[in-house]
């Protein structure tokens, strides 16, 4: 198990780099996770992460790509809820990387 140091505190991560305890998530933690992925979070990223956290609150699971795209399209419009936009923001792995940055479990049907 590895850890991520955020503001002087070591936060445990699982073998894939996801938070062990979802309660450890914060915007600062998300920024540190993004930095470890060589990514700087913009407002565009944040609105997707917030939508993803709302999805998790509603369904208690992290969506795979297709449900993620549909949910974002429903909540934020089709200009943001499409695979091209999400792939651009999250390096071609939107469901996995966005879930990680949102402090959620790895989607179960993603390799």
């Amino acid at each position: 198990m590895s850890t991520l140091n955020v503001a002087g505190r070591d936060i445990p991560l699982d073998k894939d780099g996801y938070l062990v305890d979802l309660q450890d998530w914060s915007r600062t933690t998300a920024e540190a996770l993004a930095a470890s992925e060589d990514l700087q979070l913009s407002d565009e990223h944040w609105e997707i992460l917030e939508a993803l956290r709302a999805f998790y609150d509603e369904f208690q699971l992290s969506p795979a790509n297709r449900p993620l795209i549909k949910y974002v399209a429903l909540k934020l419009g089709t200009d943001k809820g499409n695979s091209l936009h999400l792939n651009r923001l999250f390096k071609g792995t939107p469901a996995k990387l966005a879930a990680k940055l949102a402090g959620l479990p790895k989607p179960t049907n993603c390799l």
Side-chain angles (χ1 to χ4, degrees), residues 21-61:
D21 183 351
L22 304 184
Q23 299 302 313
D24 284 332
W25 188 85
S26 67
R27 287 181 72 94
T28 305
T29 303
E31 289 167 353
L33 287 166
S36 73
E37 297 285 340
D38 254 352
L39 188 64
Q40 173 104 22
L41 297 179
S42 68
D43 289 341
E44 287 181 302
H45 291 98
W46 282 113
E47 65 185 355
I48 302 301
L49 296 181
E50 289 166 6
L52 187 53
R53 289 182 63 81
F55 183 100
Y56 188 83
D57 287 343
E58 188 173 341
F59 301 105
Q60 287 74 53
L61 60 93

